[in-house]
């Protein structure tokens, strides 16, 4: 099955942009990924740079500046087709909303997005203008990460929480928009089952989707991918199903090897807090040989060999297995026990169940 993609710009006319020096309304981009009509004949094989159309050349320059080999993203083929016709066999599909890490493009999780669509989900990725390294708009405008974001230190937790609040307002507006499009949009009418909405967030996006689930009853289940746990609050208990998947360095002593003591301690405290406030079905895991960027396409687009490193493939396959099994039970209500499935995987050296301190159980 092939994956289709449509992009939309959303403007919030009730909010002013707080991250720009220019006075304007808040605007952000989303991508909607869906199954393609099986009878459609594609014109050409898509490549990774197509995710940044209509500014693929400028996007390539930006990636080249941070170390991606020239022309590599033009040779990296994908199974995702812009504006392809949607399958007529999929109506009232469960929806997964994806919130990316700070600085990372919304669609640079294609390894997981594509897999979820192949399992019958519609995936909506939500960009974060001025916090992402660069954002491409349909009119060819490119908006770069703002100076206020660039200049803010990683220890400025107050500012980072403000970014989370901006993202929450964005996703709330998106959920409102999905409800409208489900009734009026000629392409997406009756495609979304908004009674089955799950969320996935990486890094800052992980803290975002936790806070969103805390505030919005429309969210039914969530997965945090190496989330910024040092930024979460404890306004109230959450009884929705949640899974937190960490990188290999998940305990305080391990985190001190890669971060400052201040961030490692705050992160460790946040991990304990998350464990305490989640009162429903929950699972804390970590994946062997993973780091913070293993949860993105970054290892793929910086891979300049003919074959993808096997360890990267194993980590991505593991993430795909976990996300699908989790949502099959807690979003689709399948008669399978996710926890039994995980326990059956404990002999798999790539998956570790961890406790509230990030230690292997």
């Amino acid at each position: 099955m092939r994956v289709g993609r449509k992009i939309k710009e959303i403007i919030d006319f009730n909010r002013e942009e707080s991250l720009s020096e220019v006075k304007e309304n808040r605007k952000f981009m989303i991508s909607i990924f869906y199954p393609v009509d099986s009878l459609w004949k594609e014109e050409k094989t898509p490549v990774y740079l197509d995710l940044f159309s209509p500014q693929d050349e400028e996007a390539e320059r930006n990636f080249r500046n941070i170390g991606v080999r020239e022309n590599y993203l033009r040779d990296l083929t994908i199974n995702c087709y812009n504006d392809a016709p949607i399958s007529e066999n999929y109506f009232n599909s469960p929806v997964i909303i994806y919130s990316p890490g700070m600085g990372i493009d919304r669609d640079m999780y294609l390894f997981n997005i594509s897999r979820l669509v192949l399992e019958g989900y519609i995936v909506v990725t939500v960009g974060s203008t001025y916090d992402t390294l660069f954002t491409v708009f349909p009119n060819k405008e490119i908006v770069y990460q703002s100076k206020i974001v660039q200049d803010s230190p990683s220890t400025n937790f107050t500012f980072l929480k403000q970014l989370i609040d901006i993202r929450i307002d964005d996703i709330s507006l998106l959920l409102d928009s999905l409800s409208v499009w489900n009734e009026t949009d000629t392409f997406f009418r009756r495609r979304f089952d908004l009674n089955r909405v799950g969320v996935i967030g990486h890094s800052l996006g992980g803290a975002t989707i936790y806070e969103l689930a805390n505030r919005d009853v429309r969210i039914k289940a969530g997965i945090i991918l190496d989330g910024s746990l040092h930024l979460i609050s404890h306004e109230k208990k959450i009884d929705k199903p949640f899974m937190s998947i960490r990188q290999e360095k998940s305990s305080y002593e391990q985190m001190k090897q890669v971060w400052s003591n201040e961030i490692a301690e705050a992160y460790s405290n946040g991990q304990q807090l998350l464990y305490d406030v989640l009162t429903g079905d929950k699972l804390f895991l970590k994946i062997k040989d993973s780091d913070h960027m293993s949860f993105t396409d970054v290892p793929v687009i910086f891979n300049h060999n003919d074959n993808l490193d096997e360890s990267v493939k194993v980590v991505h396959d593991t993430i795909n297995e976990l996300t699908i099994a989790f949502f099959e039970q807690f979003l689709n209500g399948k008669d399978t026990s996710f926890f039994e499935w995980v326990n059956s995987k404990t002999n798999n050296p790539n998956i570790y169940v961890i406790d509230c301190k990030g230690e292997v159980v």
Side-chain angles (χ1 to χ4, degrees), residues 1-4 33-37 85-87 90 93 117 120-122:
M1 181 190 294
R2 293 160 298 178
V3 175
F33 295 85
Y34 54 87
V36 171
D37 185 342
I86 193 168
S87 171
Y90 287 81
S93 298
V117 172
Y121 298 90
I122 289 180

Side-chain angles (χ1 to χ4, degrees), residues 226 246-247 255-261 263-264 267 292:
D226 209 34
R246 292 293 317 281
Q247 62 171 293
M255 288 187 285
K256 285 198 301 183
Q257 299 173 23
V258 291
W259 295 325
S260 68
N261 286 351
I263 292 180
Y267 210 113
H292 192 58

Side-chain angles (χ1 to χ4, degrees), residues 207-219:
T208 299
I209 61 105
Y210 161 80
E211 297 290 358
L212 177 70
N214 199 342
R215 307 178 194 182
D216 198 318
V217 297
R218 293 174 288 187
I219 305 304

